[in-house]
Amino acid sequence: MKKNDIYEVEITGMTHEAMGVGKVNGMAVFVQGAIEGEKVVAKIIKVAKNYAVARVEEWIIKSPERREPFCQAYKRCGGCSLQHMTYDMQLKFKHKVVTDNLERIGGFRGIHINPVIGMDNPMNYRNKAQYPIGTGDEGPIAGFYARRSHTIIDSETCGIQHTGSEKVKNTVMDIIRKLNIPVYNEKTGEGILRHIITRVSYSTGDIMVILVVTKERVPNLNKLIQMVTDKISEVKSIVLNINRRRDNIILGDIVKTVYGSGTLIDRLGHLTFHISPLSFYQVNPVQTVILYEKALKFAGLTGNETVFDLYCGIGTISLFLAEKAEKVIGVEVIPEAVESANKNAKLNNISNAKFYCGAAEEVVPRLYDEGIKADVVVVDPPRKGCDSTLLETMVKMQPKRIVYVSCNPSTLARDLKYLAANGYNLREVQPVDLFPWTEHVECVTLMSRA
Ligand code: SAH
């Protein structure tokens, strides 16, 4: 088999990145954009030792689950990967991804995994947008990175973002073109404006704008602020994030508020949260409430428990738990997030939540040595999952229940396997669709002592 060869391929499965999988002469072929059940004519674009990658040239049999992508930029943009599938099929696909991971990596056999909870209206759900800025043929452009690249796609609208974010991006770009504010050049490191980031409060409609810049002194900044806030009254805060780095990390460490309070207030369920510019906050508020309610249910609190909420961010899950527990201890590594968590406890008149700043794998062993133990532990780590020291300490601590919230089914499966080998039984797995049209899936799982 070689590049540019053409084959008929029956698609019998899907990879976790949503590529169709078939076989040609016994070799696995991954076909971009093909769906399980389809038969296609495919052109080989890459041949590796044990597999090949191909692109669809023509469909012989189309899946009834195929739909027209709603976005013009779908093929090029690196944001969405499931727009060619019906929403129903996306949910089934995600269910399979979770099942495969738990079976293959976790070693769990024949377990029941609840159907993925989808959205009634899976459009415009994101409360945070990050638009890289660059220079196109006709001047400054902003949009999204193309798949696996740093080429900027200059898109006017994005169907998964809040319409307010799109409006801010387009307005800011018009203004910087008018005012000639220099745009950053990734290759030379010259220029000033690197990214426009928006965070939207779905409960109030307020918008916080973060301008990532190479230096504090942005020419015509006051005019820019005036024009943006005149045009879009929802913009209640503008902050600068200074990033002088030459790598591809988006954010720098320094934040300077140049308009408004520099924070955003949002409500999730009946709780109010104060969000600082750099803190983690779930991007899909509608589904987040469902996720947190499941986590709370899995925690099974009666009011007498000490609960640890590890990787707690700005204390969102902690405060949901605090109302039903005797006390909650939150642990989070980013100081600004811990500061917000403390403010959020006050804001909601919650006095039984205490937050520690530090790595969970350092703080929890220390608390354990001091004799502070949890009856229930909730973890919500980043994609890489929990640190092994933390898992070991959890096992020593022997909480009754462990609720694991995860945005990565493979590290979830790895960590649950360790807990299962150390006396915990997997009781329930609930995937929630926090990221419609993308291959990502969130899960909340319950383990309890055997
Ligand atoms: N539970 C929160 C945040 C989850 S995101 C929510 O639902 O909003 C994961 C969080 O873990 C981030 O806030 C990140 O800053 C934090 N984090 C990353 N590594 C950590 C570590 N080793 N110890 C504690 N917190 C960590």
Side-chain angles (χ1 to χ4, degrees):
M1 189 183 290
K2 56 184 192 315
K3 205 173 158 181
N4 294 331
D5 279 358
I6 304 266
Y7 293 100
E8 247 182 56
V9 190
E10 260 178 63
I11 307 299
T12 53
M14 308 279 294
T15 68
H16 294 171
E17 294 75 38
M19 290 227 255
V21 187
K23 274 203 167 151
V24 172
N25 305 331
M27 173 128 123
V29 179
F30 300 117
V31 188
Q32 292 170 353
I35 297 176
E36 186 168 348
E38 292 188 327
K39 192 171 175 185
V40 300
V41 176
K43 184 178 194 169
I44 306 292
I45 53 176
K46 181 182 158 186
V47 184
K49 203 164 160 226
N50 304 317
Y51 68 94
V53 182
R55 202 171 30 222
V56 180
E57 289 285 288
E58 209 181 300
W59 274 269
I60 301 166
I61 299 172
K62 270 195 183 175
S63 166
E65 302 292 349
R66 175 169 291 283
R67 51 159 285 157
E68 207 44 52
F70 56 78
C71 178
Q72 299 273 325
Y74 177 54
K75 282 213 172 119
R76 291 174 293 141
C77 177
C80 292
S81 48
L82 307 183
Q83 277 191 28
H84 58 297
M85 294 179 193
T86 60
Y87 190 52
D88 203 37
M89 163 126 197
Q90 293 175 37
L91 299 180
K92 288 188 185 127
F93 165 78
K94 293 183 186 191
H95 190 266
K96 178 121 193 315
V97 170
V98 174
T99 309
D100 282 354
N101 275 291
L102 289 175
E103 286 187 359
R104 289 186 201 160
I105 299 173
F108 299 99
R109 297 273 154 223
I111 45 161
H112 171 78
I113 294 167
N114 297 344
V116 183
I117 302 175
M119 296 189 80
D120 293 337
N121 173 18
M123 301 304 295
N124 304 102
Y125 62 82
R126 275 189 70 101
N127 62 15
K128 179 184 176 186
Q130 304 193 132
Y131 304 100
I133 307 176
T135 305
D137 295 340
E138 285 154 36
I141 53 167
F144 296 98
Y145 287 130
R147 216 173 287 273
R148 285 183 285 275
S149 103
H150 265 217
T151 308
I152 296 167
I153 294 169
D154 187 11
S155 64
E156 274 282 305
T157 59
C158 169
I160 68 173
Q161 295 294 352
H162 188 280
T163 49
S165 290
E166 295 288 286
K167 199 165 147 193
V168 167
K169 188 249 310 178
N170 294 330
T171 306
V172 170
M173 290 310 290
D174 282 347
I175 296 169
I176 67 166
R177 284 183 200 113
K178 267 198 202 110
L179 298 179
N180 277 323
I181 298 176
V183 161
Y184 183 65
N185 180 326
E186 224 180 18
K187 293 209 175 77
T188 63
E190 279 162 22
I192 297 179
L193 213 53
R194 301 176 69 139
H195 271 82
I196 301 167
I197 301 177
T198 56
R199 300 189 91 159
V200 186
S201 164
Y202 275 56
S203 58
T204 64
D206 289 354
I207 302 175
M208 169 159 70
V209 181
I210 303 159
L211 300 173
V212 184
V213 291
T214 51
K215 58 178 186 187
E216 233 171 83
R217 295 179 68 96
V218 179
N220 285 323
L221 180 64
N222 288 336
K223 270 194 198 150
L224 173 83
I225 294 168
Q226 182 77 47
M227 287 164 86
V228 174
T229 50
D230 276 354
K231 277 231 160 93
I232 309 175
S233 59
E234 292 89 345
V235 173
K236 297 284 164 56
S237 277
I238 302 180
V239 307
L240 297 182
N241 176 271
I242 322 294
N243 183 359
R244 295 193 184 91
R245 306 168 65 116
R246 289 295 303 274
D247 54 22
N248 55 20
I249 293 173
I250 295 177
L251 290 167
D253 298 327
I254 302 168
V255 175
K256 193 180 163 215
T257 303
V258 290
Y259 178 80
S261 67
T263 56
L264 191 67
I265 302 283
D266 197 11
R267 286 181 81 79
L268 290 175
H270 62 292
L271 295 174
T272 306
F273 296 97
H274 168 290
I275 303 154
S276 50
L278 305 190
S279 297
F280 178 90
Y281 183 63
Q282 289 285 4
V283 297
N284 182 334
V286 172
Q287 295 296 88
T288 296
V289 174
I290 294 173
L291 179 78
Y292 289 174
E293 274 166 3
K294 285 284 170 195
L296 183 61
K297 181 173 158 251
F298 286 179
L301 303 177
T302 62
N304 301 319
E305 296 85 359
T306 297
V307 187
F308 284 6
D309 178 24
L310 310 178
Y311 309 88
C312 70
I314 61 169
T316 42
I317 299 179
S318 319
L319 300 186
F320 273 80
L321 296 163
E323 296 184 309
K324 299 269 159 55
E326 188 182 313
K327 72 171 189 231
V328 173
I329 292 175
V331 181
E332 160 64 44
V333 78
I334 307 260
E336 290 77 24
V338 176
E339 214 176 282
S340 294
N342 280 315
K343 274 195 197 149
N344 288 332
K346 278 213 192 80
L347 209 58
N348 292 285
N349 294 317
I350 290 173
S351 55
N352 61 338
K354 189 169 176 182
F355 297 96
Y356 289 84
C357 187
E361 61 273 21
E362 285 164 21
V363 175
V364 175
R366 206 168 65 222
L367 293 175
Y368 179 71
D369 287 343
E370 287 167 17
I372 303 171
K373 288 195 214 161
D375 301 298
V376 177
V377 174
V378 178
V379 296
D380 183 7
R383 292 190 65 77
K384 69 175 188 222
C386 291
D387 186 272
S388 57
T389 315
L390 173 64
L391 291 172
E392 283 159 25
T393 314
M394 273 158 61
V395 167
K396 273 199 266 173
M397 199 178 268
Q398 290 278 299
K400 282 200 290 273
R401 279 183 288 282
I402 297 174
V403 179
Y404 197 132
V405 182
S406 162
C407 58
N408 183 348
S410 66
T411 55
L412 171 72
R414 179 200 68 199
D415 293 349
L416 294 187
K417 182 180 185 178
Y418 175 84
L419 295 171
N422 286 282
Y424 284 86
N425 279 350
L426 183 55
R427 306 286 179 190
E428 202 166 342
V429 180
Q430 178 61 66
V432 182
D433 192 19
L434 258 59
F435 316 103
W437 316 102
T438 80
E439 77 266 24
H440 298 290
V441 57
E442 190 87 9
C443 283
V444 50
T445 65
L446 171 63
M447 289 193 117
S448 62
R449 275 208 307 262

